[in-house]
Amino acid sequence: MKCYGVIGDPIGHSLSPVMHNSQFNTFGIDAIYLPFHVNNEGLRNAIDGMRGLKIRGMSVTIPHKESIIKHLDAIDEEASKIGAVNTIINENNKLIGTNTDGKGFINSVIDYGFSLNDKKVLIIGAGGASRAIIYRLSLSGVSSITVANRTTSRAEELLSEIGIDCKNTVISLNDVSEIIDEFDLVVNTTSVGMSPNISDIPFTFNKVKKGSHFIDIIYNPYETKFLNRASSLGATVQNGIGMFIHQGAIAFELWTGKEANIKLMEKVVVERLGEKNNANR
Ligand code: ATR
């Protein structure tokens, strides 16, 4: 039996095991995907263990996405540009890091049916998730990418480190409300509004562009206040489940060479999320 897993701290609430095991089961692959609770001090040993036990693939989540890099044999260009790894592939005991978050985001938007071609995009936030999304968006045919962040210097740094051209602009979070109706796609990549702080919103707004699409990478709650507001103003909305599933689907394909069953992944993840929410009530 082949072994795969996810390392993070905390890890108990990870939806990755149920998502990946559904694929091993449905494709009849003799493999298991396990959650591994690894803190910062244990990271080196965990990676040595991955080599020693010949674990075939590993997902990497908070807080290890950046600090894992120094323990790997190589990372690809995307992980290098983003400065973070979310997926490790064990190729004959050579550990290769990549990052499937940005591509997962793009695939989730395509899956939803929203065309990115020539669109004006606003990204809220300049952390790790924002970086992965912006890197891929810059390759996807959008007409412009604007980044709004509480700390504008962090957004400027992000763009220059990714090497994105000057068509891109940075604005303060305080100025977003005024111009939000200029954008076709608005994406919240901050953790503002995540459970338990469900009444928080990154900024208030009273207008949206006709035909615009809003995405929150949060999926707990299922609909954040940010999405709820956008929806009530007439925008179409999408939560972060799509990005989560699609980043996992790409990892699964890298590990097994098989195209993931996205619908099944979504079904088991949504079911598990519902169970967790009921248990917390
Ligand atoms: P991740 O790696 O998960 O994306 P991160 O690196 O901690 O997370 O980044 C968090 C993002 O959310 C940042 O853009 C942060 O803004 P700052 O760069 O100004 O810190 C943003 N963020 C977090 N809490 C916020 C809040 N209360 N209001 C506005 N922005 C917030």
Side-chain angles (χ1 to χ4, degrees), residues 62 66 124-130 148-152 154 173 189-192 202 217:
I62 292 167
E66 288 100 20
I124 317 294
S130 166
N149 201 39
R150 181 175 57 180
T151 319
T152 48
R154 200 169 171 209
L173 209 47
T189 72
T190 76
S191 51
V192 180
I217 67 163

Side-chain angles (χ1 to χ4, degrees), residues 91-136:
E91 281 177 12
N92 303 319
N93 246 13
K94 212 170 160 229
L95 302 187
I96 317 286
T98 185
N99 195 311
T100 67
D101 282 335
K103 190 146 185 278
F105 172 83
I106 301 288
N107 288 354
S108 76
V109 180
I110 294 168
D111 201 11
Y112 181 90
F114 184 81
S115 164
L116 289 165
N117 205 27
D118 247 2
K119 295 298 190 324
K120 274 188 83 167
V121 183
L122 174 66
I123 303 291
I124 317 294
S130 166
R131 193 174 278 254
I133 289 170
I134 290 172
Y135 174 74
R136 272 286 161 178

Side-chain angles (χ1 to χ4, degrees), residues 43-77:
L43 192 57
R44 167 90 261 171
N45 284 341
I47 289 301
D48 287 345
M50 183 176 176
R51 293 178 201 276
L53 297 170
K54 299 200 169 27
I55 293 174
R56 300 299 181 102
M58 193 74 90
S59 308
V60 184
T61 188
I62 292 167
H64 303 312
K65 286 185 175 186
E66 288 100 20
S67 51
I68 195 90
I69 291 176
K70 59 179 174 293
H71 301 300
L72 302 177
D73 297 307
I75 61 171
D76 69 3
E77 190 192 345

Side-chain angles (χ1 to χ4, degrees), residues 12 14 23 49 51 85 93 124 127 140 148 161 187 200 206 212-214 221-222 227 254 265 267-268 272:
S14 174
Q23 302 301 298
R51 293 178 201 276
V85 160
N93 246 13
I124 317 294
S140 68
E161 279 172 28
V187 186
D200 290 355
N206 297 312
S212 60
H213 188 52
F214 279 58
Y222 208 75
L227 288 190
L254 289 170
M265 278 189 162
K267 179 173 174 288
V268 297
R272 181 55 60 90

Side-chain angles (χ1 to χ4, degrees), residues 4-64:
Y4 297 81
V6 53
I7 50 175
D9 181 21
I11 203 64
H13 289 288
S14 174
L15 296 164
S16 293
V18 73
M19 176 168 73
H20 285 288
N21 286 321
S22 78
Q23 302 301 298
F24 293 142
N25 290 338
T26 197
F27 287 106
I29 299 171
D30 186 25
I32 188 165
Y33 183 106
L34 298 166
F36 296 110
H37 186 193
V38 176
N39 63 17
N40 289 327
E41 294 70 42
L43 192 57
R44 167 90 261 171
N45 284 341
I47 289 301
D48 287 345
M50 183 176 176
R51 293 178 201 276
L53 297 170
K54 299 200 169 27
I55 293 174
R56 300 299 181 102
M58 193 74 90
S59 308
V60 184
T61 188
I62 292 167
H64 303 312

Side-chain angles (χ1 to χ4, degrees), residues 174-193:
N174 299 325
D175 300 330
V176 176
S177 309
E178 281 297 303
I179 57 164
I180 193 155
D181 57 340
E182 292 176 13
F183 297 97
D184 303 297
L185 175 64
V186 181
V187 186
N188 176 39
T189 72
T190 76
S191 51
V192 180

